[in-house]
Amino acid sequence: MKKALYLMMIFALVALVFNSCKDPEEENQEEIVTANITEDTTWETGNTYVLGGRITVVSGVTLTIEPGVVIKGEAGTGANATALVIARGATLNAVGTASQPIIFTSVADEIEPGQIASPNLDPDLNGLWGGLIILGDAPISADATSVQIEGIPASDQNGLYGGSNASDNSGTIQYVSIRHGGANIGEGNEINGLTLGGVGNGTTIDHIEIIANQDDGIECFGGTVNVNDIIVWNCGDDAYDMDQAYTGTIDNFILIAGEDTDHAMELDGPEGTATGSYTLKNGSLKGWNDGGADGGEYADLRDGVTCTIENCYFFNFSETSDFELDAGDDDDDLSISQNYTNGDVVFRNLEFNVSHLSSGNLTIPDIFSDKVDGQNVFETNAPNATIVTTPTVGATKSAFAGWSWADANGELSSF
């Protein structure tokens, strides 16, 4: 017995000495990725991976990102903008956890695996790299077999998206935070925080955080994928942007607008003959308000969109913020107003808190505006919306507790 105990003590001492001699760099290795991913690859927990350019996971290949991994994009604009692209037919399994989220950020960020908040970057610093782009084979509205996604040069065929498989599966993306992105690849052509092009409903996407993106937070170009538990904070353009007859559902979502945020929602219709309707539900949206007229808008619905917006709470917007029907680029297009009149655009249980304002858009008739050819369909068909001081609808913020930078920074205290 004494001999066995003696041997155990020796083994424990040897292990202690061995661990104390290990190079600490081995605990957090950094790998620079400079070429497309052409075979099944795993990015391992505890490590940092640097995107040295626009890196594509090509068709037929799976990239697995383990919990706690940090991915950093090099600086670059134009054709040199860095991004991670999941091509049609490729798979991304980026499955973080509430204790170990996966973080996409810039090389300027000194964050290391195990940290939630950046130790050196402010949460409104944007445009430092590109973003995450996922492309699939689900239907889109364009009158073409496939089209090129925005944010990728037309010369790169890995940027094609769209097809006929509504249940297409691009993988599983959970507990992922995407920060400081939106690099510009050309005039008016920035990369969104999370771009979903023709992504199918076989794909799982939930618990997503997008912070300080120079362009939109999330933009869906067609496809059928459902996105649950998503927060957008400090986007430079629109928070939730839908295009190409997207037909999925965005459920349990939050906006924390920044000074440059344009619309909480920009909702577009089809760009071809195909049609589709989508739903945004259970949202809590906090506008930017400096006490006056400056600030973004509630929502802009355009170009023949058909959709449902329900159980959403809007607060802290400016005195000029409105919720508008808009013809977009075609001032003669009456389809958006007609769709609302026909019941193809549905507003259900929308609540607006304007108690912080003393003038401007203080009533539902003031907030809802039909800007199509001088009409105002809201005068004869009032939206299902009310002014409140205490919300009865909105997002469940507990979905973002513990793992998101927004929570760590106290940004969810007013929700």
Side-chain angles (χ1 to χ4, degrees), residues 137-204:
D137 193 40
I140 60 176
S141 65
D143 293 330
T145 303
S146 59
V147 296
Q148 186 78 359
I149 197 70
E150 70 175 30
I152 297 181
S155 59
D156 187 348
Q157 294 294 292
N158 288 313
L160 292 171
Y161 73 99
S164 59
N165 183 8
S167 59
D168 189 37
N169 185 352
S170 295
T172 301
I173 302 92
Q174 295 175 311
Y175 291 99
V176 171
S177 182
I178 305 168
R179 310 170 176 186
H180 309 296
N184 199 325
I185 75 158
E187 184 63 31
N189 192 3
E190 299 89 4
I191 299 176
N192 305 302
L194 177 60
T195 299
L196 303 175
V199 177
N201 58 28
T203 308
T204 298

Side-chain angles (χ1 to χ4, degrees), residues 265-284:
M265 305 175 186
E266 183 176 281
L267 308 180
D268 289 287
E271 297 180 9
T273 55
T275 60
S277 186
Y278 47 84
T279 298
L280 292 92
K281 65 180 183 178
N282 302 318
S284 294

Side-chain angles (χ1 to χ4, degrees), residues 151-386:
I152 297 181
S155 59
D156 187 348
Q157 294 294 292
N158 288 313
L160 292 171
Y161 73 99
S164 59
N165 183 8
S167 59
D168 189 37
N169 185 352
S170 295
T172 301
I173 302 92
Q174 295 175 311
Y175 291 99
V176 171
S177 182
I178 305 168
R179 310 170 176 186
H180 309 296
N184 199 325
I185 75 158
E187 184 63 31
N189 192 3
E190 299 89 4
I191 299 176
N192 305 302
L194 177 60
T195 299
L196 303 175
V199 177
N201 58 28
T203 308
T204 298
I205 303 180
D206 61 71
H207 295 88
I208 306 297
E209 178 182 51
I210 301 166
I211 303 169
N213 200 78
Q214 192 170 81
D215 195 40
D216 299 331
I218 176 174
E219 186 162 5
C220 299
F221 294 86
T224 57
V225 65
N226 301 312
V227 180
N228 301 321
D229 306 322
I230 177 170
I231 184 169
V232 176
W233 175 22
N234 278 337
C235 61
D237 193 9
D238 307 311
Y240 297 91
D241 194 340
M242 309 294 135
D243 293 287
Q244 285 275 15
Y246 169 61
T247 58
T249 295
I250 310 292
D251 187 6
N252 200 53
F253 62 101
I254 283 178
L255 163 66
I256 307 167
E259 186 173 3
D260 296 324
T261 301
D262 191 7
H263 297 89
M265 305 175 186
E266 183 176 281
L267 308 180
D268 289 287
E271 297 180 9
T273 55
T275 60
S277 186
Y278 47 84
T279 298
L280 292 92
K281 65 180 183 178
N282 302 318
S284 294
L285 303 107
K286 181 181 181 180
W288 171 267
N289 173 56
D290 65 356
D294 293 333
E297 311 292 350
Y298 293 111
D300 188 5
L301 284 74
R302 310 190 304 178
D303 302 326
V305 64
T306 59
C307 66
T308 296
I309 306 173
E310 62 178 304
N311 298 336
C312 291
Y313 171 59
F314 301 83
F315 67 107
N316 203 56
F317 283 77
S318 77
E319 62 185 30
T320 59
S321 298
D322 62 16
F323 203 110
E324 65 186 43
L325 305 181
D326 187 351
D329 296 329
D330 185 356
D331 291 337
D332 297 323
D333 182 8
L334 304 181
S335 60
I336 178 60
S337 297
Q338 193 62 54
N339 286 352
Y340 175 76
T341 301
N342 293 344
D344 294 321
V345 172
V346 177
F347 304 138
R348 184 181 298 122
N349 297 332
L350 305 186
E351 297 181 347
F352 297 81
N353 188 336
V354 295
S355 60
H356 59 291
L357 299 175
S358 58
S359 62
N361 292 344
L362 300 176
T363 69
I364 294 302
D366 291 333
I367 290 171
F368 281 80
S369 174
D370 184 357
K371 297 187 175 181
V372 182
D373 199 30
Q375 296 187 87
N376 190 355
V377 297
F378 296 122
E379 290 182 353
T380 55
N381 191 358
N384 182 213
T386 55

